Amino acid sequence: MKKLLVAAAAFAALSAQAESLSVAATAVPHAEILEFVKPALAKDGVELEIKVFTDYVQPNVQVAEKRLDANFFQHQPYLDEFNKSRGTDLVSVAGVHVEPFGAYSSKHKSLDALPEGAQVVIPNDATNGGRALLLLQKAGVIKLKDAGNILATPKDIAENPKAIKVRELEAATLPRVLNQVDLALINTNYALEAKLNPTQDALAIEGSDSPYVNILVARADSKDGVALQKLAKALNSAEVKAFIAEKYQGAVVPAF
């Protein structure tokens, strides 16, 4: 009985010493990856609290307002645009993976089969909208005025042989309207949530050279915190690399 009490006291002391870390994430694959590293972090004295979000705005807002410690859902171009438009000072702590962006259709088997005036939907945030248009350009569907403009909008389309009609919608809604349009350009986290397989279902997909590495993000004044650095190290571990490769089969690619 005495040994049990000593063990319980030791466990309680260890728990009291554990530092908590709250991290916002989108459900797939970000929260799944965080759940994978959670046990290892607990052994390293960090209690990881994962908050799942369905949008791309609140995770940054809540970190900036110090309601959460960090987030894991976005790439650097999106973060740069968010900081610029919102006046925030969020920074990258570590790069983790790339989610190759894809174009999907439930009506057509190839981009060549897109009809004249096809209805095409893309994300309505500046960086992912531009990313979608760059993919359409790479696939030969359109040409942009500036072929390298990552912030291109539909107004920047210079050549449009099939006269496709491009609409901008919130990224999270795109899988839900897939059967209502000819083509939807969908972020991989939302494609995976919708049970789409990017490597099999996408009619066009970014290559492994994509610059859109998903990053762990925090405030500039807290990025060097011990618990946060432990999380960054865990996310860049050999174990996470193996987990990503096995679970996502090329739909998510390690970037470290």
Side-chain angles (χ1 to χ4, degrees):
M1 182 66 179
K2 185 177 180 180
K3 288 183 178 180
L4 287 174
L5 290 173
V6 170
F11 180 78
L14 182 63
S15 297
Q17 294 170 6
E19 186 173 353
S20 63
L21 192 66
S22 57
V23 182
T26 43
V28 182
H30 307 85
E32 293 177 342
I33 296 172
L34 290 172
E35 287 288 356
F36 176 76
V37 302
K38 190 172 182 177
L41 282 173
K43 291 180 181 178
D44 203 16
V46 178
E47 182 182 341
L48 185 61
E49 183 182 4
I50 304 163
K51 299 285 189 179
V52 176
F53 287 79
T54 59
D55 72 290
Y56 287 165
V57 176
Q58 281 303 310
N60 276 339
V61 169
Q62 295 203 21
V63 173
E65 294 179 351
K66 299 186 178 182
R67 287 186 275 166
L68 296 172
D69 298 311
N71 65 52
F72 178 36
F73 76 97
Q74 65 194 313
H75 48 64
Q76 190 68 50
Y78 181 89
L79 177 61
D80 291 344
E81 179 64 21
F82 189 93
N83 279 333
K84 181 180 177 181
S85 64
R86 300 286 184 126
T88 48
D89 187 23
L90 302 177
V91 298
S92 172
V93 180
V96 182
H97 68 268
V98 173
E99 301 170 18
F101 195 84
Y104 301 85
S105 178
S106 62
K107 298 181 178 181
H108 310 292
K109 298 295 184 183
S110 70
L111 293 179
D112 289 340
L114 286 177
E116 192 83 10
Q119 298 293 316
V120 178
V121 290
I122 66 173
N124 66 355
D125 64 271
T127 50
N128 284 308
R131 185 180 183 185
L133 293 173
L134 288 173
L135 181 57
L136 287 176
Q137 176 178 251
K138 184 178 179 180
V141 178
I142 61 170
K143 283 188 179 180
L144 298 169
K145 297 172 185 175
D146 177 355
N149 182 11
I150 65 171
L151 298 179
T153 72
K155 293 179 180 178
D156 296 311
I157 297 174
E159 296 182 27
N160 187 0
K162 291 195 173 185
I164 64 170
K165 310 296 184 186
V166 180
R167 283 190 296 142
E168 298 168 288
L169 299 174
E170 185 181 350
T173 68
L174 296 177
R176 298 200 291 271
V177 301
L178 180 58
N179 64 352
Q180 302 170 31
V181 298
D182 292 292
L183 191 71
L185 286 99
I186 304 174
N187 291 82
T188 293
N189 60 304
Y190 292 131
L192 292 172
E193 282 185 50
K195 309 303 181 186
L196 293 168
N197 184 326
T199 57
Q200 295 179 15
D201 299 330
L203 303 186
I205 194 167
E206 289 174 335
S208 59
D209 58 345
S210 169
Y212 297 95
V213 175
N214 279 226
I215 51 180
L216 176 66
V217 169
R219 295 181 300 278
D221 63 2
S222 63
K223 69 181 180 65
D224 295 320
V226 174
L228 197 58
Q229 288 301 315
K230 285 182 178 180
L231 173 58
K233 183 179 179 180
L235 289 173
N236 280 179
S237 66
E239 290 79 9
V240 165
K241 182 175 284 189
F243 172 78
I244 289 174
E246 180 180 349
K247 184 171 181 64
Y248 302 110
Q249 299 291 309
V252 178
V253 183
F256 56 91

